[in-house]
Every structure is written in structure tokens, then in C-alpha cells.
Short mmCIF file of all heavy atoms in Angstrom, two decimals:
data_model
loop_
_atom_site.label_atom_id
_atom_site.label_comp_id
_atom_site.label_asym_id
_atom_site.label_seq_id
_atom_site.Cartn_x
_atom_site.Cartn_y
_atom_site.Cartn_z
N MET A 1223 218.11 -44.95 -157.75
CA MET A 1223 218.78 -46.23 -157.77
C MET A 1223 218.93 -46.68 -159.21
O MET A 1223 218.02 -46.62 -160.00
CB MET A 1223 217.97 -47.23 -156.95
CG MET A 1223 218.59 -48.58 -156.92
SD MET A 1223 217.91 -49.50 -155.54
CE MET A 1223 218.83 -50.94 -155.70
N LEU A 1224 220.09 -47.20 -159.54
CA LEU A 1224 220.37 -47.69 -160.89
C LEU A 1224 219.79 -49.06 -161.06
O LEU A 1224 220.05 -49.97 -160.28
CB LEU A 1224 221.87 -47.72 -161.14
CG LEU A 1224 222.33 -48.25 -162.50
CD1 LEU A 1224 221.82 -47.35 -163.60
CD2 LEU A 1224 223.83 -48.35 -162.53
N ARG A 1225 219.04 -49.22 -162.12
CA ARG A 1225 218.42 -50.51 -162.39
C ARG A 1225 219.01 -51.02 -163.71
O ARG A 1225 218.89 -50.35 -164.71
CB ARG A 1225 216.91 -50.38 -162.50
CG ARG A 1225 216.24 -51.68 -162.75
CD ARG A 1225 214.73 -51.58 -162.58
NE ARG A 1225 214.15 -52.87 -162.87
CZ ARG A 1225 213.35 -53.09 -163.90
NH1 ARG A 1225 212.96 -52.08 -164.65
NH2 ARG A 1225 212.89 -54.30 -164.11
N ILE A 1226 219.64 -52.15 -163.68
CA ILE A 1226 220.23 -52.73 -164.86
C ILE A 1226 219.21 -53.64 -165.54
O ILE A 1226 218.78 -54.64 -164.95
CB ILE A 1226 221.53 -53.51 -164.55
CG1 ILE A 1226 222.55 -52.56 -163.97
CG2 ILE A 1226 222.06 -54.18 -165.79
CD1 ILE A 1226 223.84 -53.19 -163.59
N THR A 1227 218.84 -53.27 -166.74
CA THR A 1227 217.87 -54.07 -167.49
C THR A 1227 218.64 -55.07 -168.34
O THR A 1227 219.85 -54.90 -168.60
CB THR A 1227 217.03 -53.16 -168.41
OG1 THR A 1227 217.92 -52.54 -169.38
CG2 THR A 1227 216.31 -52.10 -167.60
N PRO A 1228 217.98 -56.11 -168.81
CA PRO A 1228 218.66 -57.08 -169.68
C PRO A 1228 219.26 -56.41 -170.92
O PRO A 1228 220.34 -56.77 -171.35
CB PRO A 1228 217.57 -58.06 -170.06
CG PRO A 1228 216.59 -58.00 -168.91
CD PRO A 1228 216.62 -56.55 -168.47
N LEU A 1229 218.57 -55.45 -171.49
CA LEU A 1229 219.09 -54.77 -172.67
C LEU A 1229 220.38 -54.00 -172.37
O LEU A 1229 221.34 -54.03 -173.12
CB LEU A 1229 218.03 -53.83 -173.24
CG LEU A 1229 218.40 -53.11 -174.55
CD1 LEU A 1229 218.75 -54.12 -175.63
CD2 LEU A 1229 217.25 -52.23 -175.01
N LEU A 1230 220.40 -53.33 -171.22
CA LEU A 1230 221.59 -52.60 -170.81
C LEU A 1230 222.75 -53.55 -170.56
O LEU A 1230 223.88 -53.30 -170.95
CB LEU A 1230 221.31 -51.76 -169.55
CG LEU A 1230 222.47 -50.96 -169.00
CD1 LEU A 1230 223.01 -49.98 -170.04
CD2 LEU A 1230 222.05 -50.23 -167.74
N ALA A 1231 222.46 -54.68 -169.95
CA ALA A 1231 223.49 -55.68 -169.69
C ALA A 1231 224.07 -56.21 -170.98
O ALA A 1231 225.30 -56.32 -171.13
CB ALA A 1231 222.93 -56.82 -168.85
N ILE A 1232 223.24 -56.49 -171.94
CA ILE A 1232 223.73 -56.98 -173.25
C ILE A 1232 224.55 -55.91 -173.95
O ILE A 1232 225.61 -56.21 -174.50
CB ILE A 1232 222.53 -57.42 -174.13
CG1 ILE A 1232 221.90 -58.70 -173.53
CG2 ILE A 1232 222.99 -57.68 -175.56
CD1 ILE A 1232 220.60 -59.09 -174.17
N ALA A 1233 224.13 -54.67 -173.90
CA ALA A 1233 224.89 -53.58 -174.52
C ALA A 1233 226.25 -53.45 -173.89
O ALA A 1233 227.27 -53.23 -174.58
CB ALA A 1233 224.11 -52.27 -174.40
N CYS A 1234 226.34 -53.56 -172.58
CA CYS A 1234 227.63 -53.47 -171.88
C CYS A 1234 228.55 -54.62 -172.27
O CYS A 1234 229.75 -54.42 -172.50
CB CYS A 1234 227.41 -53.47 -170.36
SG CYS A 1234 226.67 -51.96 -169.76
N ILE A 1235 228.00 -55.80 -172.37
CA ILE A 1235 228.81 -56.96 -172.76
C ILE A 1235 229.33 -56.81 -174.19
O ILE A 1235 230.51 -57.05 -174.46
CB ILE A 1235 227.99 -58.28 -172.62
CG1 ILE A 1235 227.75 -58.56 -171.14
CG2 ILE A 1235 228.70 -59.45 -173.30
CD1 ILE A 1235 226.72 -59.65 -170.88
N LEU A 1236 228.47 -56.35 -175.09
CA LEU A 1236 228.89 -56.18 -176.49
C LEU A 1236 229.96 -55.08 -176.60
O LEU A 1236 230.90 -55.20 -177.36
CB LEU A 1236 227.70 -55.86 -177.36
CG LEU A 1236 226.72 -57.02 -177.60
CD1 LEU A 1236 225.53 -56.53 -178.41
CD2 LEU A 1236 227.42 -58.16 -178.28
N LEU A 1237 229.80 -54.01 -175.84
CA LEU A 1237 230.76 -52.93 -175.87
C LEU A 1237 232.11 -53.40 -175.36
O LEU A 1237 233.15 -53.15 -175.96
CB LEU A 1237 230.28 -51.75 -175.02
CG LEU A 1237 231.19 -50.53 -174.97
CD1 LEU A 1237 231.37 -49.94 -176.38
CD2 LEU A 1237 230.63 -49.50 -174.04
N TYR A 1238 232.11 -54.17 -174.27
CA TYR A 1238 233.35 -54.71 -173.71
C TYR A 1238 233.99 -55.69 -174.67
O TYR A 1238 235.20 -55.68 -174.88
CB TYR A 1238 233.07 -55.37 -172.38
CG TYR A 1238 234.30 -55.97 -171.74
CD1 TYR A 1238 235.23 -55.13 -171.12
CD2 TYR A 1238 234.54 -57.32 -171.76
CE1 TYR A 1238 236.38 -55.67 -170.52
CE2 TYR A 1238 235.68 -57.86 -171.18
CZ TYR A 1238 236.57 -57.02 -170.56
OH TYR A 1238 237.72 -57.55 -170.00
N ALA A 1239 233.20 -56.54 -175.30
CA ALA A 1239 233.74 -57.58 -176.20
C ALA A 1239 234.29 -56.95 -177.47
O ALA A 1239 235.20 -57.50 -178.09
CB ALA A 1239 232.66 -58.57 -176.53
N SER A 1240 233.79 -55.78 -177.86
CA SER A 1240 234.24 -55.19 -179.12
C SER A 1240 235.51 -54.37 -178.95
O SER A 1240 236.11 -53.94 -179.91
CB SER A 1240 233.15 -54.30 -179.71
OG SER A 1240 232.95 -53.17 -178.88
N ALA A 1241 235.94 -54.13 -177.70
CA ALA A 1241 237.19 -53.41 -177.46
C ALA A 1241 238.35 -54.25 -177.98
O ALA A 1241 238.48 -55.40 -177.62
CB ALA A 1241 237.35 -53.11 -175.99
N GLN A 1242 239.17 -53.65 -178.82
CA GLN A 1242 240.28 -54.39 -179.39
C GLN A 1242 241.54 -54.11 -178.60
O GLN A 1242 241.89 -52.98 -178.36
CB GLN A 1242 240.47 -53.96 -180.84
CG GLN A 1242 239.33 -54.39 -181.76
CD GLN A 1242 239.64 -54.01 -183.18
OE1 GLN A 1242 240.40 -53.09 -183.46
NE2 GLN A 1242 239.04 -54.70 -184.12
N ILE A 1243 242.21 -55.18 -178.26
CA ILE A 1243 243.49 -55.07 -177.55
C ILE A 1243 244.53 -55.77 -178.42
O ILE A 1243 244.34 -56.89 -178.85
CB ILE A 1243 243.42 -55.73 -176.16
CG1 ILE A 1243 242.39 -54.99 -175.32
CG2 ILE A 1243 244.78 -55.71 -175.50
CD1 ILE A 1243 242.17 -55.58 -173.95
N ALA A 1244 245.64 -55.07 -178.67
CA ALA A 1244 246.71 -55.63 -179.48
C ALA A 1244 247.37 -56.79 -178.73
O ALA A 1244 247.33 -56.87 -177.50
CB ALA A 1244 247.73 -54.57 -179.80
N ALA A 1245 248.00 -57.64 -179.46
CA ALA A 1245 248.73 -58.78 -178.88
C ALA A 1245 250.01 -58.27 -178.24
O ALA A 1245 250.55 -57.27 -178.66
CB ALA A 1245 249.05 -59.79 -179.96
N PRO A 1246 250.54 -58.97 -177.22
CA PRO A 1246 251.87 -58.61 -176.72
C PRO A 1246 252.86 -58.62 -177.87
O PRO A 1246 252.86 -59.53 -178.70
CB PRO A 1246 252.17 -59.74 -175.72
CG PRO A 1246 250.83 -60.25 -175.30
CD PRO A 1246 249.95 -60.11 -176.52
N TRP A 1247 253.66 -57.61 -177.95
CA TRP A 1247 254.67 -57.40 -179.00
C TRP A 1247 254.05 -57.06 -180.33
O TRP A 1247 254.73 -56.94 -181.34
CB TRP A 1247 255.61 -58.60 -179.15
CG TRP A 1247 256.24 -59.01 -177.84
CD1 TRP A 1247 255.86 -60.06 -177.05
CD2 TRP A 1247 257.25 -58.32 -177.12
NE1 TRP A 1247 256.62 -60.10 -175.92
CE2 TRP A 1247 257.48 -59.04 -175.92
CE3 TRP A 1247 258.00 -57.18 -177.36
CZ2 TRP A 1247 258.43 -58.65 -174.99
CZ3 TRP A 1247 258.94 -56.81 -176.41
CH2 TRP A 1247 259.14 -57.52 -175.25
N GLY A 1248 252.71 -56.89 -180.39
CA GLY A 1248 252.02 -56.59 -181.65
C GLY A 1248 252.00 -55.09 -181.96
O GLY A 1248 252.34 -54.25 -181.14
N GLN A 1249 251.56 -54.78 -183.16
CA GLN A 1249 251.45 -53.39 -183.59
C GLN A 1249 250.25 -52.74 -182.91
O GLN A 1249 249.21 -53.33 -182.75
CB GLN A 1249 251.30 -53.28 -185.11
CG GLN A 1249 251.33 -51.85 -185.60
CD GLN A 1249 251.46 -51.72 -187.11
OE1 GLN A 1249 251.60 -52.71 -187.80
NE2 GLN A 1249 251.38 -50.50 -187.62
N CYS A 1250 250.44 -51.48 -182.46
CA CYS A 1250 249.38 -50.77 -181.77
C CYS A 1250 249.17 -49.36 -182.31
O CYS A 1250 248.47 -48.56 -181.71
CB CYS A 1250 249.65 -50.73 -180.27
SG CYS A 1250 251.24 -50.03 -179.83
N GLY A 1251 249.82 -49.02 -183.40
CA GLY A 1251 249.65 -47.69 -183.95
C GLY A 1251 250.59 -47.41 -185.11
O GLY A 1251 251.38 -48.25 -185.50
N GLY A 1252 250.45 -46.22 -185.67
CA GLY A 1252 251.27 -45.78 -186.79
C GLY A 1252 250.35 -45.17 -187.84
O GLY A 1252 249.14 -45.28 -187.79
N ILE A 1253 250.99 -44.49 -188.82
CA ILE A 1253 250.25 -43.84 -189.90
C ILE A 1253 249.42 -44.90 -190.62
O ILE A 1253 249.93 -45.97 -190.99
CB ILE A 1253 251.21 -43.12 -190.85
CG1 ILE A 1253 251.86 -41.94 -190.15
CG2 ILE A 1253 250.49 -42.66 -192.11
CD1 ILE A 1253 252.93 -41.26 -190.94
N ALA A 1254 248.15 -44.60 -190.79
CA ALA A 1254 247.18 -45.44 -191.51
C ALA A 1254 246.85 -46.76 -190.76
O ALA A 1254 246.16 -47.61 -191.32
CB ALA A 1254 247.66 -45.75 -192.94
N TRP A 1255 247.31 -46.90 -189.52
CA TRP A 1255 246.98 -48.11 -188.76
C TRP A 1255 245.54 -48.07 -188.34
O TRP A 1255 245.06 -47.09 -187.78
CB TRP A 1255 247.88 -48.19 -187.53
CG TRP A 1255 247.56 -49.36 -186.64
CD1 TRP A 1255 247.04 -49.31 -185.39
CD2 TRP A 1255 247.75 -50.76 -186.92
NE1 TRP A 1255 246.87 -50.57 -184.86
CE2 TRP A 1255 247.31 -51.48 -185.81
CE3 TRP A 1255 248.23 -51.46 -188.01
CZ2 TRP A 1255 247.35 -52.86 -185.72
CZ3 TRP A 1255 248.24 -52.85 -187.94
CH2 TRP A 1255 247.83 -53.53 -186.82
N THR A 1256 244.79 -49.13 -188.62
CA THR A 1256 243.38 -49.18 -188.27
C THR A 1256 243.06 -50.30 -187.28
O THR A 1256 241.90 -50.52 -186.97
CB THR A 1256 242.52 -49.37 -189.53
OG1 THR A 1256 242.88 -50.58 -190.17
CG2 THR A 1256 242.67 -48.20 -190.49
N GLY A 1257 244.10 -50.97 -186.82
CA GLY A 1257 243.91 -52.08 -185.88
C GLY A 1257 243.84 -51.56 -184.44
O GLY A 1257 243.68 -50.38 -184.16
N PRO A 1258 243.99 -52.48 -183.49
CA PRO A 1258 243.91 -52.13 -182.07
C PRO A 1258 245.01 -51.18 -181.65
O PRO A 1258 246.15 -51.23 -182.16
CB PRO A 1258 244.02 -53.46 -181.35
CG PRO A 1258 244.57 -54.41 -182.35
CD PRO A 1258 244.24 -53.90 -183.68
N THR A 1259 244.66 -50.28 -180.74
CA THR A 1259 245.62 -49.28 -180.24
C THR A 1259 245.83 -49.40 -178.74
O THR A 1259 246.52 -48.56 -178.15
CB THR A 1259 245.16 -47.86 -180.59
OG1 THR A 1259 243.85 -47.66 -180.03
CG2 THR A 1259 245.10 -47.64 -182.10
N ILE A 1260 245.24 -50.38 -178.14
CA ILE A 1260 245.39 -50.60 -176.70
C ILE A 1260 246.24 -51.84 -176.47
O ILE A 1260 246.04 -52.86 -177.13
CB ILE A 1260 244.02 -50.79 -176.04
CG1 ILE A 1260 243.13 -49.56 -176.26
CG2 ILE A 1260 244.15 -51.10 -174.56
CD1 ILE A 1260 241.71 -49.74 -175.83
N CYS A 1261 247.20 -51.73 -175.57
CA CYS A 1261 248.09 -52.86 -175.26
C CYS A 1261 247.58 -53.59 -174.04
O CYS A 1261 246.94 -53.03 -173.17
CB CYS A 1261 249.52 -52.36 -175.02
SG CYS A 1261 250.27 -51.68 -176.50
N PRO A 1262 247.91 -54.88 -173.94
CA PRO A 1262 247.53 -55.65 -172.75
C PRO A 1262 248.25 -55.16 -171.50
O PRO A 1262 249.28 -54.46 -171.62
CB PRO A 1262 247.93 -57.08 -173.10
CG PRO A 1262 248.91 -56.98 -174.19
CD PRO A 1262 248.68 -55.69 -174.90
N PRO A 1263 247.76 -55.51 -170.32
CA PRO A 1263 248.43 -55.10 -169.09
C PRO A 1263 249.88 -55.55 -169.07
O PRO A 1263 250.22 -56.66 -169.49
CB PRO A 1263 247.62 -55.84 -167.99
CG PRO A 1263 246.29 -56.10 -168.60
CD PRO A 1263 246.55 -56.30 -170.07
N GLY A 1264 250.77 -54.65 -168.60
CA GLY A 1264 252.17 -54.96 -168.56
C GLY A 1264 252.94 -54.52 -169.79
O GLY A 1264 254.14 -54.67 -169.88
N TYR A 1265 252.23 -54.00 -170.79
CA TYR A 1265 252.82 -53.54 -172.04
C TYR A 1265 252.44 -52.11 -172.28
O TYR A 1265 251.36 -51.67 -171.93
CB TYR A 1265 252.35 -54.41 -173.22
CG TYR A 1265 252.86 -55.81 -173.17
CD1 TYR A 1265 252.27 -56.77 -172.36
CD2 TYR A 1265 253.96 -56.20 -173.94
CE1 TYR A 1265 252.75 -58.05 -172.31
CE2 TYR A 1265 254.44 -57.49 -173.90
CZ TYR A 1265 253.83 -58.41 -173.08
OH TYR A 1265 254.32 -59.68 -173.02
N ASP A 1266 253.35 -51.36 -172.95
CA ASP A 1266 253.08 -49.98 -173.37
C ASP A 1266 253.19 -49.89 -174.86
O ASP A 1266 254.02 -50.57 -175.49
CB ASP A 1266 254.09 -49.02 -172.75
CG ASP A 1266 253.67 -48.48 -171.39
OD1 ASP A 1266 252.48 -48.55 -171.07
OD2 ASP A 1266 254.53 -47.99 -170.68
N CYS A 1267 252.39 -49.02 -175.48
CA CYS A 1267 252.45 -48.79 -176.91
C CYS A 1267 253.58 -47.78 -177.15
O CYS A 1267 253.46 -46.59 -176.82
CB CYS A 1267 251.11 -48.26 -177.44
SG CYS A 1267 251.03 -48.17 -179.21
N ILE A 1268 254.68 -48.26 -177.71
CA ILE A 1268 255.88 -47.43 -177.91
C ILE A 1268 256.01 -47.08 -179.38
O ILE A 1268 255.96 -47.96 -180.24
CB ILE A 1268 257.14 -48.18 -177.44
CG1 ILE A 1268 257.01 -48.64 -175.99
CG2 ILE A 1268 258.40 -47.35 -177.65
CD1 ILE A 1268 256.86 -47.51 -174.99
N VAL A 1269 256.18 -45.80 -179.67
CA VAL A 1269 256.36 -45.34 -181.06
C VAL A 1269 257.76 -45.69 -181.52
O VAL A 1269 258.75 -45.25 -180.93
CB VAL A 1269 256.11 -43.82 -181.16
CG1 VAL A 1269 256.42 -43.33 -182.58
CG2 VAL A 1269 254.70 -43.46 -180.75
N LEU A 1270 257.87 -46.48 -182.57
CA LEU A 1270 259.15 -46.84 -183.16
C LEU A 1270 259.52 -45.91 -184.31
O LEU A 1270 260.68 -45.57 -184.48
CB LEU A 1270 259.15 -48.31 -183.63
CG LEU A 1270 258.83 -49.34 -182.53
CD1 LEU A 1270 258.75 -50.73 -183.12
CD2 LEU A 1270 259.86 -49.27 -181.40
N ASN A 1271 258.52 -45.58 -185.12
CA ASN A 1271 258.68 -44.60 -186.20
C ASN A 1271 257.27 -44.15 -186.59
O ASN A 1271 256.31 -44.54 -185.96
CB ASN A 1271 259.47 -45.19 -187.40
CG ASN A 1271 258.81 -46.44 -187.97
OD1 ASN A 1271 257.61 -46.45 -188.27
ND2 ASN A 1271 259.57 -47.52 -188.08
N ASP A 1272 257.18 -43.32 -187.64
CA ASP A 1272 255.87 -42.79 -188.03
C ASP A 1272 254.86 -43.87 -188.40
O ASP A 1272 253.67 -43.69 -188.27
CB ASP A 1272 256.01 -41.82 -189.20
CG ASP A 1272 256.67 -40.50 -188.81
OD1 ASP A 1272 256.75 -40.21 -187.59
OD2 ASP A 1272 257.12 -39.77 -189.71
N TYR A 1273 255.35 -45.01 -188.87
CA TYR A 1273 254.47 -46.05 -189.37
C TYR A 1273 254.31 -47.25 -188.43
O TYR A 1273 253.54 -48.14 -188.73
CB TYR A 1273 255.00 -46.55 -190.73
CG TYR A 1273 254.96 -45.48 -191.78
CD1 TYR A 1273 256.07 -44.64 -191.95
CD2 TYR A 1273 253.84 -45.24 -192.53
CE1 TYR A 1273 256.02 -43.62 -192.91
CE2 TYR A 1273 253.78 -44.23 -193.46
CZ TYR A 1273 254.89 -43.41 -193.65
OH TYR A 1273 254.83 -42.42 -194.56
N GLN A 1274 255.02 -47.26 -187.35
CA GLN A 1274 254.99 -48.45 -186.47
C GLN A 1274 255.08 -48.05 -185.00
O GLN A 1274 256.01 -47.39 -184.58
CB GLN A 1274 256.19 -49.36 -186.82
CG GLN A 1274 256.32 -50.59 -185.91
CD GLN A 1274 255.42 -51.73 -186.33
OE1 GLN A 1274 255.06 -51.83 -187.49
NE2 GLN A 1274 255.07 -52.58 -185.42
N SER A 1275 254.07 -48.47 -184.25
CA SER A 1275 254.13 -48.43 -182.79
C SER A 1275 253.88 -49.87 -182.35
O SER A 1275 253.10 -50.59 -182.96
CB SER A 1275 253.04 -47.53 -182.20
OG SER A 1275 253.30 -46.19 -182.56
N GLN A 1276 254.58 -50.27 -181.29
CA GLN A 1276 254.51 -51.70 -180.91
C GLN A 1276 254.29 -51.82 -179.40
O GLN A 1276 254.78 -51.02 -178.60
CB GLN A 1276 255.83 -52.35 -181.28
CG GLN A 1276 255.86 -53.85 -181.05
CD GLN A 1276 257.16 -54.46 -181.56
OE1 GLN A 1276 258.09 -53.78 -181.95
NE2 GLN A 1276 257.21 -55.79 -181.54
N CYS A 1277 253.49 -52.83 -179.02
CA CYS A 1277 253.30 -53.14 -177.60
C CYS A 1277 254.54 -53.79 -177.05
O CYS A 1277 254.85 -54.93 -177.40
CB CYS A 1277 252.09 -54.08 -177.41
SG CYS A 1277 250.51 -53.33 -177.79
N LEU A 1278 255.27 -53.06 -176.24
CA LEU A 1278 256.49 -53.56 -175.65
C LEU A 1278 256.34 -53.75 -174.16
O LEU A 1278 255.62 -52.99 -173.51
CB LEU A 1278 257.67 -52.63 -175.96
CG LEU A 1278 257.98 -52.43 -177.45
CD1 LEU A 1278 259.10 -51.42 -177.62
CD2 LEU A 1278 258.34 -53.76 -178.09
N ARG A 1279 257.02 -54.76 -173.64
CA ARG A 1279 256.95 -55.10 -172.21
C ARG A 1279 257.50 -53.96 -171.36
O ARG A 1279 258.52 -53.39 -171.71
CB ARG A 1279 257.76 -56.38 -171.97
CG ARG A 1279 257.60 -56.94 -170.61
CD ARG A 1279 256.40 -57.84 -170.57
NE ARG A 1279 256.37 -58.55 -169.31
CZ ARG A 1279 255.28 -58.62 -168.57
NH1 ARG A 1279 254.17 -58.12 -169.01
NH2 ARG A 1279 255.30 -59.27 -167.44
N ILE A 1280 256.83 -53.69 -170.28
CA ILE A 1280 257.30 -52.67 -169.34
C ILE A 1280 258.26 -53.35 -168.36
O ILE A 1280 257.90 -54.32 -167.71
CB ILE A 1280 256.13 -52.07 -168.54
CG1 ILE A 1280 255.10 -51.43 -169.47
CG2 ILE A 1280 256.63 -51.06 -167.53
CD1 ILE A 1280 253.82 -51.05 -168.79
N TYR A 1281 259.47 -52.85 -168.32
CA TYR A 1281 260.45 -53.36 -167.38
C TYR A 1281 260.77 -52.27 -166.38
O TYR A 1281 260.91 -51.13 -166.73
CB TYR A 1281 261.75 -53.80 -168.09
CG TYR A 1281 261.57 -55.02 -168.92
CD1 TYR A 1281 261.46 -54.95 -170.30
CD2 TYR A 1281 261.52 -56.28 -168.32
CE1 TYR A 1281 261.30 -56.09 -171.07
CE2 TYR A 1281 261.37 -57.42 -169.10
CZ TYR A 1281 261.25 -57.32 -170.46
OH TYR A 1281 261.09 -58.45 -171.19
N THR A 1282 260.86 -52.64 -165.15
CA THR A 1282 261.28 -51.68 -164.13
C THR A 1282 262.65 -52.10 -163.60
O THR A 1282 262.95 -53.28 -163.54
CB THR A 1282 260.25 -51.61 -162.97
OG1 THR A 1282 260.15 -52.89 -162.42
CG2 THR A 1282 258.92 -51.12 -163.45
N THR A 1283 263.43 -51.12 -163.26
CA THR A 1283 264.74 -51.44 -162.71
C THR A 1283 264.80 -50.94 -161.27
O THR A 1283 264.19 -49.94 -160.92
CB THR A 1283 265.86 -50.76 -163.53
OG1 THR A 1283 265.64 -49.36 -163.55
CG2 THR A 1283 265.89 -51.29 -164.94
N THR A 1284 265.53 -51.63 -160.50
CA THR A 1284 265.72 -51.22 -159.11
C THR A 1284 267.22 -51.09 -158.89
O THR A 1284 268.02 -51.81 -159.47
CB THR A 1284 265.12 -52.21 -158.11
OG1 THR A 1284 265.71 -53.49 -158.34
CG2 THR A 1284 263.62 -52.31 -158.26
N THR A 1285 267.55 -50.17 -158.05
CA THR A 1285 268.94 -49.99 -157.71
C THR A 1285 269.17 -50.53 -156.31
O THR A 1285 268.51 -50.14 -155.36
CB THR A 1285 269.32 -48.50 -157.74
OG1 THR A 1285 269.01 -48.00 -159.02
CG2 THR A 1285 270.81 -48.30 -157.46
N ALA A 1286 270.10 -51.45 -156.18
CA ALA A 1286 270.38 -52.03 -154.88
C ALA A 1286 271.19 -51.04 -154.07
O ALA A 1286 272.09 -50.37 -154.59
CB ALA A 1286 271.18 -53.32 -155.03
N THR A 1287 270.85 -50.90 -152.81
CA THR A 1287 271.61 -50.03 -151.94
C THR A 1287 272.45 -50.91 -151.02
O THR A 1287 271.95 -51.91 -150.50
CB THR A 1287 270.68 -49.11 -151.11
OG1 THR A 1287 269.77 -49.93 -150.39
CG2 THR A 1287 269.91 -48.15 -152.00
N PRO A 1288 273.71 -50.54 -150.86
CA PRO A 1288 274.52 -51.37 -150.00
C PRO A 1288 274.06 -51.32 -148.55
O PRO A 1288 273.64 -50.27 -148.07
CB PRO A 1288 275.92 -50.76 -150.15
CG PRO A 1288 275.69 -49.38 -150.64
CD PRO A 1288 274.37 -49.40 -151.37
N GLU A 1289 274.09 -52.45 -147.93
CA GLU A 1289 273.69 -52.52 -146.54
C GLU A 1289 274.94 -52.42 -145.66
O GLU A 1289 275.98 -52.92 -146.02
CB GLU A 1289 272.96 -53.83 -146.24
CG GLU A 1289 271.65 -53.98 -146.99
CD GLU A 1289 270.97 -55.28 -146.64
OE1 GLU A 1289 271.24 -55.86 -145.57
OE2 GLU A 1289 270.14 -55.70 -147.45
N GLY A 1290 274.79 -51.79 -144.55
CA GLY A 1290 275.92 -51.67 -143.63
C GLY A 1290 276.09 -52.99 -142.87
O GLY A 1290 275.38 -53.94 -143.05
N PRO A 1291 277.09 -53.02 -142.01
CA PRO A 1291 277.33 -54.23 -141.22
C PRO A 1291 276.15 -54.47 -140.29
O PRO A 1291 275.45 -53.54 -139.87
CB PRO A 1291 278.60 -53.94 -140.44
CG PRO A 1291 278.71 -52.46 -140.43
CD PRO A 1291 278.02 -51.95 -141.66
N PRO A 1292 275.92 -55.74 -139.94
CA PRO A 1292 274.82 -56.01 -139.01
C PRO A 1292 275.04 -55.36 -137.67
O PRO A 1292 276.17 -55.22 -137.19
CB PRO A 1292 274.80 -57.52 -138.89
CG PRO A 1292 276.09 -58.01 -139.48
CD PRO A 1292 276.65 -56.90 -140.33
N THR A 1293 273.97 -54.95 -137.05
CA THR A 1293 274.12 -54.32 -135.73
C THR A 1293 274.12 -55.40 -134.67
O THR A 1293 273.36 -56.35 -134.74
CB THR A 1293 272.95 -53.34 -135.48
OG1 THR A 1293 271.73 -54.03 -135.66
CG2 THR A 1293 272.99 -52.17 -136.42
N PRO A 1294 275.00 -55.26 -133.69
CA PRO A 1294 275.07 -56.29 -132.63
C PRO A 1294 273.76 -56.27 -131.80
O PRO A 1294 273.16 -55.26 -131.57
CB PRO A 1294 276.25 -55.90 -131.78
CG PRO A 1294 276.72 -54.58 -132.28
CD PRO A 1294 275.98 -54.24 -133.52
N ALA A 1295 273.36 -57.44 -131.36
CA ALA A 1295 272.14 -57.56 -130.58
C ALA A 1295 272.39 -57.33 -129.13
O ALA A 1295 273.41 -57.45 -128.56
CB ALA A 1295 271.53 -58.94 -130.81
#
């Protein structure tokens, strides 16, 4: 059985708090980039060039399908 001690709990909290997440639309990579490389939910780190990757919003597209005439009841 796993027993969580106070020391383990504090270590987990510190590890979670130290994880760096880039801001929406912020830089998330590139040559010599030392800042955060993880984007917030709903954003992807997109490579723009060798020196710049940016957290960009994920958009999904749907294709509407035409509906036929209503069926008589």
C-alpha cells in the first residue's frame, strides 16, 4: 500500500509548481530558448522558424453535410 508522507506531499507540490507553462500566444521554443516549452490546454507549440515556436490556438473545422428532405411521419 502506498503511504504518502508529508515530505512526499511537499515534494509533489513543489515539482508541480515548478513546471513552466508558456502563456497563450507566447513563445514555447526555438534555438537558445530557455523558457517554458509546454503550452496551456487548447494550444499547440507550433514551429514558426528556427528561432521561434509559439503557443497557437487549436482550431478544429467541421464539414456540414447536407440533410435530405424530412421524412413523412
Side-chain angles (χ1 to χ4, degrees):
M1223 179 162 182
L1224 178 64
R1225 182 169 178 243
I1226 298 179
T1227 64
L1229 183 58
L1230 179 59
I1232 291 170
C1234 290
I1235 291 169
L1236 290 175
L1237 181 62
Y1238 180 76
S1240 68
Q1242 293 183 334
I1243 298 176
W1247 308 103
Q1249 186 169 356
C1250 55
I1253 293 174
W1255 176 248
T1256 59
T1259 57
I1260 300 170
C1261 293
Y1265 291 80
D1266 271 341
C1267 189
I1268 305 297
V1269 176
L1270 302 176
N1271 58 51
D1272 289 344
Y1273 296 91
Q1274 176 83 25
S1275 294
Q1276 186 175 7
C1277 291
L1278 299 177
R1279 189 86 172 132
I1280 301 169
Y1281 290 103
T1282 58
T1283 57
T1284 57
T1285 304
T1287 57
E1289 294 181 23
T1293 54

